[in-house]
Structure formats: structure tokens, C-alpha cells
Amino acid sequence: SACHNNHANDEDLTVLYRAKDDSMDLFSPAVFQQMCELEEQVISVLSEYADACRQPNGGGCSTVNGGACLAPHSSVSRLRDVTANGWSLTCAELVADPTVLEAAVFMLAQCLPDGCDEANFVGYDFTTSNPSTRTLAAVYPLNSWRAASFINEVHDAAKLRRSSADVELA
């Protein structure tokens, strides 16, 4: 059966990844790896709050934390989905072959004029003629009854690293 959790809910956690430098492209392999590692950190924190993440509804869903949580809607998840064994790769392995990332970016640029769902997560500066961006979003599916308290608890406990060398969370 098909995954019934493709669309984000109002309660979901949206994280913005922003390049620290104006000349930096989040789709460059080294910077994409840093963004991937920040995303893995959010997923790891979610594993500590299993009741906060939304569980898959139907088959064919991309999941994390041993299948307990839906994967975030993000460029990283999209690359994992289109890469052979993508969900078992480390972030470094995911970007090790830059042609895979380049192909995913090319596909995204090609679907942009048609309004594909993946385009919802790229910054305003990403265009078909200029497929690079300083801003990307990720949406983490949360249970509506637990979302606010989860975000408050994680914030109060300072569990999330807010930046890497070239990328910051917003």
C-alpha cells in the first residue's frame, strides 16, 4: 500500500538550513554533508522522544529510528530515496559520488517549472537556470498532541547543535 503521510501538518517542525556565507551553495557536496549531519542530529533527538514523531501510515514510507518515525521531508531524504541503499549510508557516503547529488539537483531544477513537491523545500534563489541555493527547509512529521511540548523540551534542554562550519539552523 502507499504511504499516507506525504504531506506536512501544521504541527510539524520546520527547520531552515542556511549557508553562513553568501557565496556558498547548500547543494555542494561538502556543505550538503554538513546539512545532512545536522539533520541526523535532529533525527537522533527525535529517537529520545519516540511519542513525538509521527509513525508511518501505510507502506512505502521512508522512515528513520528503526521504522518508528517518518523521515523528514527534505532534500537529504529525497537524495536518500533516490540513491541505492541511501538510507543505510552515512552522510559522507551519501555525497561521496558527487554525480548522484548533481543528478538529484538537476532533476529538481527540471521539475521546478511544473511546481513539483520537492521544490517546496528549496530557497527562493534556486531557479532552473541557477540550480543552487543558500536556504533549504526540512519538515519533521510530529504528532499534533506532542509537538509543542517536544519543541519546548528540546529547546530548554539545549539538545540541538545550531550550526556546523558552514551551515546554521534557523
Side-chain angles (χ1 to χ4, degrees):
S1 68
C3 181
H4 301 291
N5 294 108
N6 290 332
H7 301 288
N9 292 331
D10 292 339
E11 300 85 10
D12 292 344
L13 173 65
T14 300
V15 172
L16 295 179
Y17 301 105
R18 187 171 49 208
K20 290 181 178 180
D21 185 292
D22 287 344
S23 65
M24 202 155 293
D25 178 14
L26 291 179
F27 285 124
S28 67
V31 179
F32 195 86
Q33 179 180 339
Q34 292 175 43
M35 189 178 64
C36 176
E37 289 165 353
L38 287 168
E39 190 161 296
E40 282 187 341
Q41 179 199 348
V42 176
I43 291 168
S44 175
V45 169
L46 268 173
S47 72
E48 298 174 34
Y49 299 87
D51 61 338
C53 66
R54 202 160 62 241
Q55 296 180 342
N57 180 6
C61 298
S62 295
T63 60
V64 294
N65 295 334
C69 302
L70 284 167
H73 299 291
S74 69
S75 296
V76 173
S77 290
R78 177 76 178 130
L79 185 60
R80 289 189 183 284
D81 283 341
V82 300
T83 302
N85 301 313
W87 285 98
S88 63
L89 300 176
T90 66
C91 292
E93 292 168 335
L94 188 63
V95 299
D97 180 357
T99 60
V100 176
L101 179 57
E102 289 167 10
V105 172
F106 178 79
M107 288 187 324
L108 178 60
Q110 296 306 305
C111 79
L112 195 59
D114 297 329
C116 57
D117 286 340
E118 291 85 6
N120 295 336
F121 301 107
V122 298
Y124 67 91
D125 54 345
F126 185 93
T127 63
T128 301
S129 61
N130 182 29
S132 65
T133 188
R134 288 191 59 241
T135 309
L136 288 169
V139 178
Y140 296 83
L142 300 178
N143 286 316
S144 59
W145 57 271
R146 184 69 166 93
S149 60
F150 163 74
I151 292 168
N152 287 332
E153 288 171 30
V154 169
H155 178 267
D156 292 345
K159 290 194 176 221
L160 288 178
R161 195 177 77 212
R162 301 205 23 104
S163 67
S164 66
D166 299 311
V167 182
E168 61 187 356
L169 298 180

